[in-house]
Amino acid sequence: MPEINSAVESLLQSSNTYFLLMGAIMVFAMHAGFAFLEVGTVRHKNQVNALVKIITDFAISCIAYFFIGYWIAYDTTFFSSAAELSANNGYELVKFFFLVTFAAAIPAIISGGIAERAKFYPFLIASALIVALVYPFFEGIVWNGNYGLQDKLKELTGEPFHDFAGSVVVHAMGGWLAFVGVLLLGLRHGRIKDKRLVAFAPSNIPFLALGTWVLCIGWFGFNVMSAQAVEGISGLVALNSLMAMVGGIIAALIFGKNDPGFIHNGPLAGLVAVCAGSDIMHPIGSLFVGLIAGWLFVMLFTVLQKTQKIDDVLGVWPLHGLCGAWGGLAAGIFGLEALGGLGGVSFTAQLIGTVAGILIALVGGFVIYASIAKILGLRLSQEQEFQGADLSIHRIGSVNHD
């Protein structure tokens, strides 16, 4: 009997490790989606830079999170023998792989907002600092109970802050960090012509659409695998993610008036918003969450195109920052038993946790970006921006005309 129990435990541990590894691979693949979404949106002269930023940001994020960020969030380091690290089939190592793909999503989100006029190395340094310090600080509070703040919130409201897969921890944080960078960078040159504000059309709709499809597919690893163990698999999470995605598409189709850029960002808005409560909401509730998120993105991105202060190229602030915040609040609404949810959530706790995430992102982002701006500068020169980041930074364009 003990041998049977041991074999069952070993099989379960192996299954959990494999399950989480597949989730890590799916979320890792989402970074290709981030890359092609940006490539399809920016002008041709900045497409190479978009690709390079996403892959180098991932590498920098991995190093920063491995040595500092993961330690801050989970009080765990990798300064032990390989034998110790590989215990339990290396589950803890795969957990790091899974969570670093989340952490690296922060710079990938920011990349889309600051595109076409940002210096390369200063923003790589900013990415390292954000993933090492700002993101894991909030991540540890929410997902590891650091500093006892979740316990205090439960005492105050009856429930802790609930963010199952990162509407606020990942997406709102990334979107509001991007908001700071976008504000400090200012408008791209050429946005104002004859005293009128003009928009730059996406350069390649097929690439933009490819980015969306890759992100949508990977998102089911992002959400479902957030259970981090086989016994936690929930079909409810999968169906809620699907319904929110569909709701986002429909809202973007209607309110975006058939615009392909809006339509392909609609599903992402819905998926961003459903992350927090995907494990507790009813599928019909998730559909409404996605519909509202799709509408929010279209309306707010349209407003951004008319302001002379915020030039958010991919609309990452409305898509991730505001839809992520909506997701945090929505979990406290549609997760309630009265609206068909599983309960165990408090709207007050969701409001406090969401606002806290936004404030940490704003303060952390301002300190990092303002410091780097003063020391190294954040923006390309007007000549470099006119020439394009591809030639100015990487000395090669996306198409060779020779």
Side-chain angles (χ1 to χ4, degrees), residues 17 80 97 199 212 227 234 237 244 292 300 315:
T17 303
S80 54
F97 181 16
T212 291
S234 172
V237 175
I292 294 170
L300 291 167

Side-chain angles (χ1 to χ4, degrees), residues 30-346:
M30 290 175 69
H31 289 263
F34 283 121
F36 279 97
L37 188 69
E38 185 171 339
V39 166
T41 305
V42 299
R43 289 168 290 176
H44 288 101
K45 62 184 179 180
N46 297 296
Q47 289 180 329
V48 171
N49 181 243
L51 293 170
V52 174
K53 280 191 300 178
I54 299 299
I55 198 166
T56 52
D57 269 332
F58 188 90
I60 294 297
S61 297
C62 189
I63 296 298
Y65 197 64
F66 182 87
F67 286 105
I68 303 173
Y70 196 66
W71 170 57
I72 289 175
Y74 299 100
D75 195 25
T76 300
T77 68
F78 299 95
F79 299 107
S80 54
S81 69
E84 291 175 299
L85 292 175
S86 60
N88 296 321
N89 302 104
Y91 176 82
E92 290 298 324
L93 303 183
V94 173
K95 180 181 176 181
F96 166 80
F97 181 16
F98 182 68
L99 291 174
V100 77
T101 59
F102 279 56
I106 300 290
I109 290 168
I110 295 169
S111 176
I114 63 170
E116 299 203 314
R117 75 277 204 203
K119 285 185 176 181
F120 184 58
Y121 283 104
F123 272 96
L124 277 183
I125 294 170
S127 295
L129 293 172
I130 286 168
V131 174
L133 303 172
V134 180
Y135 168 74
F137 174 72
F138 187 61
E139 175 192 18
I141 289 173
V142 177
W143 286 342
N144 199 46
N146 291 357
Y147 314 113
L149 296 181
Q150 284 281 46
D151 292 334
K152 291 177 182 177
L153 198 55
K154 186 172 182 178
E155 290 177 13
L156 178 66
T157 68
E159 298 293 343
F161 176 60
H162 186 92
D163 191 356
F164 179 69
S167 284
V168 179
V169 174
V170 178
H171 296 286
M173 284 284 289
W176 286 91
L177 282 161
F179 180 76
V180 177
V182 166
L183 279 181
L184 292 177
L185 282 170
L187 287 176
R188 287 167 288 173
H189 293 295
R191 285 293 314 275
I192 298 179
K193 291 183 179 179
D194 300 324
K195 297 182 180 181
R196 294 176 60 243
L197 194 66
V198 297
F200 297 139
S203 62
N204 192 311
I205 294 298
F207 274 163
L208 187 157
L210 174 63
T212 291
W213 277 104
V214 172
L215 282 166
C216 287
I217 293 167
W219 221 297
F220 288 87
F222 196 99
N223 282 2
V224 176
M225 268 74 164
S226 284
Q228 297 187 25
V230 172
E231 56 265 33
I233 295 175
S234 172
L236 184 63
V237 175
L239 185 55
N240 280 338
S241 301
L242 182 67
M243 295 303 287
M245 181 189 79
V246 169
I249 295 171
I250 292 172
L253 171 67
I254 295 171
F255 296 104
K257 300 177 181 179
N258 302 328
D259 183 281
F262 284 138
I263 292 170
H264 284 92
N265 275 282
L268 307 183
L271 286 164
V272 164
V274 80
C275 288
S278 58
D279 62 327
I280 57 173
M281 294 190 294
H282 189 282
I284 296 176
S286 294
L287 176 62
F288 279 102
V289 169
L291 286 166
I292 294 170
W295 171 79
L296 271 175
F297 173 73
V298 173
M299 294 299 103
L300 291 167
F301 186 80
T302 301
V303 169
L304 287 185
Q305 293 304 307
K306 298 176 182 178
T307 176
Q308 295 189 23
K309 295 182 179 180
I310 304 174
D311 188 6
D312 184 345
V313 182
L314 268 68
V316 299
W317 178 55
L319 181 64
H320 296 275
L322 295 175
C323 289
W326 158 238
L329 300 178
I333 301 171
F334 292 96
L336 298 173
E337 291 184 41
L339 291 178
L342 298 181
V345 67
S346 159

